[in-house]
Amino acid sequence: MALTIQSSFVIAAPPATAWTILTDIERAAPCFPGAQLLGRNDDGSWRASFGVKLGPMNFSFAGKFHLDDVDAASSRVVVKAQGSDTKGRGGAKADVNMRLQPEGAGTRAEIISSVDLSGAVAQFGRGAGMIEALSRQLMDQFAANLQQSIGEIPKTEPESHGPAQAGSLALPSAAAPPAVASLDAGSLMWRALAASVKGWFARLIGRRS
């Protein structure tokens, strides 16, 4: 089952800081809900696991990902990831395109994800609208964890807000990474469903006005 999901989030940091943090795998990956970084492979890719709980069922994925196309000049990066459920119930592949742009005093990350689910895991992906809403909820959690990791933003920003070269920007001290736990997709899906129903009623009332 193939899906294309668009999402975005904003963090309270200038673009140069945001770029440096988001391309620092050891710093950014632990902020993703349910994810755990396990080490680096000889080819430069990273090993990782991802846990998700859906009602009474727990899925645990093991796989790898790597930064495929890092363009600091345009603040754009492509992440390629793949993983399989450790109990053999299916797998997933994803190409995640992320571009950063200034928004006020902060930075907006625009994300387009191409996801391919297989096996029993694809049953979880039925209803593309619900999965898209779930993805947005997931990105909101990631952004909140990332903001906590950034900690206190320096009052004096660099003169240039363009992408920084690795090691050229002094970052604020990071808070301790969030504890790794399985993502409770059931809870997120109920919130996504509530948001969808609320939007449907708003459109219905608008048509009747």
Side-chain angles (χ1 to χ4, degrees):
M1 178 179 183
L3 298 170
T4 298
I5 303 171
Q6 297 186 17
S7 55
S8 67
F9 61 86
V10 176
I11 56 175
T17 304
W19 173 261
T20 303
I21 293 170
L22 286 167
T23 54
D24 182 346
I25 299 300
E26 292 179 306
R27 183 166 185 159
C31 295
F32 199 83
Q36 185 175 17
L37 199 62
L38 302 176
R40 199 161 193 178
N41 298 313
D42 292 339
D43 62 1
S45 63
W46 295 84
R47 297 188 305 278
S49 64
F50 176 70
V52 59
K53 179 180 180 181
L54 180 59
M57 299 183 68
N58 287 282
F59 291 92
S60 180
F61 295 89
K64 64 179 182 177
F65 67 94
H66 67 279
L67 304 184
D68 182 65
D69 183 8
V70 182
D71 186 349
S74 61
S75 298
R76 176 181 172 274
V77 62
V78 177
V79 181
K80 289 185 176 289
Q82 62 182 53
S84 301
D85 176 61
T86 55
K87 294 183 179 179
R89 293 173 292 184
K93 294 182 180 180
D95 286 357
V96 181
N97 290 263
M98 182 175 66
R99 184 186 296 273
L100 305 183
Q101 59 185 20
E103 180 160 311
T107 302
R108 176 174 291 277
E110 296 285 354
I111 301 168
I112 300 176
S113 304
S114 299
V115 182
D116 189 9
L117 304 176
S118 61
V121 180
Q123 300 299 317
F124 172 65
R126 292 196 173 184
M130 180 64 69
I131 293 301
E132 186 172 352
L134 177 61
S135 175
R136 291 195 184 102
Q137 297 271 0
L138 183 61
M139 286 300 174
D140 286 346
Q141 285 195 13
F142 173 63
N145 292 341
L146 194 67
Q147 192 67 60
Q148 181 183 355
S149 175
I150 292 173
E152 193 74 24
I153 301 300
K155 294 182 179 180
T156 302
E157 296 179 0
E159 293 183 4
S160 172
H161 285 180
Q165 297 297 323
S168 66
L169 181 65
L171 298 177
S173 298
V180 175
S182 293
L183 174 66
D184 190 343
S187 173
L188 289 178
M189 290 189 79
W190 277 115
R191 277 186 280 168
L193 178 60
S196 298
V197 171
K198 183 178 180 181
W200 181 81
F201 274 112
R203 291 191 297 272
L204 180 62
I205 294 172
R207 286 197 295 267
R208 289 181 176 179
S209 299

